[in-house]
Amino acid sequence: MKLLRNVKLYDKQQVPVLISDEVKVLNDALSAGMAVIAIINGNSTIPVGLCRYALTQIEDINDIDEDFLYTVACRHLNLPLMLSESERIYIREFKPGDFNALSELSAFNDDVAIFTNRDLFISYIKNRYEFYNYGLWAVVEKQGGCLIGTVGFTETDKADIYELSYAVHKDFRQMGYATEALYMVIEYAYKKFAISKFTARISYNNEASKSLILKVKKKLYDNQRMISIFVNYRR
């Protein structure tokens, strides 16, 4: 079996993705530089590692999830995934060119090593997103196209609780961007990964972060989201 799907990316370009369970078809597509997905069923002869992406036990290749196709297309072109957007901002994966912008923004925590070490930053992009599919992301203002902050979540020592992370450049504070970005990420985590429990570490005297979390909690409550945010205060 084989199927060619055209995937539309956020920059409106169309990327062909070939799906097949035939070794020759896959090899020919790979040789042509195409994005491919191998279908591996019970009697498959496809060598392990032939393709970057593979699916098992697929009855109908027409039913492959659109989000998965989008991910394959973006990864093939080394483009950052676009996760969510509103009228004012969008949230996407980091790309290597973001490092200089991040290093110039004093708003970001110095204790987050990936923002202060280029090699770690590049390694994070190459490994974190593909393995976990979540982490820390860029917040970009649509009007100016500039990176104005970071937002995301990471695992904790408790399997069902994830720690929230957020920061907005000082020039864009008091405008609602942090509240907007954090809410968007929580919604994304809930819909994509069924995550409903979060924690946030806040300095005891950080009134702005306290207010931010309260605003997000209220918005979640108003929208009837059964999502919890536990706050850990630090002195």
Side-chain angles (χ1 to χ4, degrees):
M1 73 175 78
K2 69 176 181 178
L3 177 68
L4 187 65
R5 294 281 296 272
N6 286 313
V7 181
K8 186 176 181 180
L9 302 186
Y10 49 83
D11 59 0
K12 297 184 180 180
Q13 69 174 304
Q14 297 274 349
V15 179
V17 178
L18 186 120
I19 308 161
S20 180
D21 61 352
E22 302 174 31
V23 175
K24 185 179 185 308
V25 171
L26 292 169
N27 273 323
D28 288 347
L30 288 169
S31 297
M34 295 180 63
V36 302
I37 300 173
I39 302 300
I40 301 176
N41 292 317
N43 297 320
S44 175
T45 59
I46 296 175
V48 175
L50 174 65
C51 302
R52 187 176 180 182
Y53 294 98
L55 294 172
T56 60
Q57 307 303 319
I58 299 296
E59 294 183 2
D60 188 344
I61 56 178
N62 290 288
D63 294 335
I64 293 177
D65 182 73
E66 291 289 340
D67 286 345
F68 182 67
L69 290 169
Y70 172 78
T71 297
V72 171
C74 285
R75 295 279 184 256
H76 177 70
L77 296 178
N78 293 316
L79 293 174
L81 293 185
M82 186 84 70
L83 306 174
S84 184
E85 66 176 316
S86 66
E87 290 185 2
R88 301 195 302 164
I89 62 174
Y90 61 82
I91 297 171
R92 61 160 170 78
E93 294 177 343
F94 286 119
K95 56 185 179 180
D98 291 329
F99 183 79
N100 289 337
L102 286 170
S103 65
E104 294 170 0
L105 302 183
S106 60
F108 302 103
N109 297 327
D110 290 338
D111 61 348
V112 181
I114 66 165
F115 297 149
T116 58
N117 183 299
R118 182 183 292 275
D119 290 339
L120 287 177
F121 183 67
I122 300 301
S123 177
Y124 187 92
I125 293 171
K126 288 181 178 179
N127 300 305
R128 177 78 195 193
Y129 297 139
E130 187 149 4
F131 186 77
Y132 288 95
N133 288 315
Y134 64 82
L136 301 177
W137 297 299
V139 180
V140 179
E141 185 204 25
K142 282 186 173 180
Q143 185 174 3
C146 57
L147 192 156
I148 65 170
T150 70
V151 70
F153 57 91
T154 52
E155 62 276 5
T156 67
D157 56 1
K158 297 183 179 179
D160 61 338
I161 299 179
Y162 293 78
E163 182 174 349
L164 295 168
S165 176
Y166 51 90
V168 171
H169 185 262
K170 56 182 174 55
D171 292 344
F172 293 90
R173 293 174 185 171
Q174 304 300 319
M175 300 180 187
Y177 285 116
T179 303
E180 193 172 339
L182 192 58
Y183 182 82
M184 288 164 65
V185 157
I186 291 171
E187 282 273 281
Y188 175 80
Y190 182 73
K191 293 177 180 177
K192 182 77 173 179
F193 305 105
I195 296 173
S196 61
K197 295 180 181 179
F198 297 91
T199 184
R201 287 187 296 165
I202 299 175
S203 296
Y204 192 77
N205 61 353
N206 190 334
E207 298 299 327
S209 282
K210 290 180 183 178
S211 176
L212 168 63
I213 293 299
L214 286 175
K215 288 177 184 177
V216 172
K217 281 186 172 183
K218 183 180 185 304
K219 191 170 183 179
L220 290 169
Y221 177 81
D222 291 344
N223 290 327
Q224 300 181 335
R225 294 289 190 263
M226 301 300 291
I227 297 173
S228 302
I229 303 176
F230 309 98
V231 178
N232 293 324
Y233 290 108
R234 300 178 294 178
R235 291 188 178 275

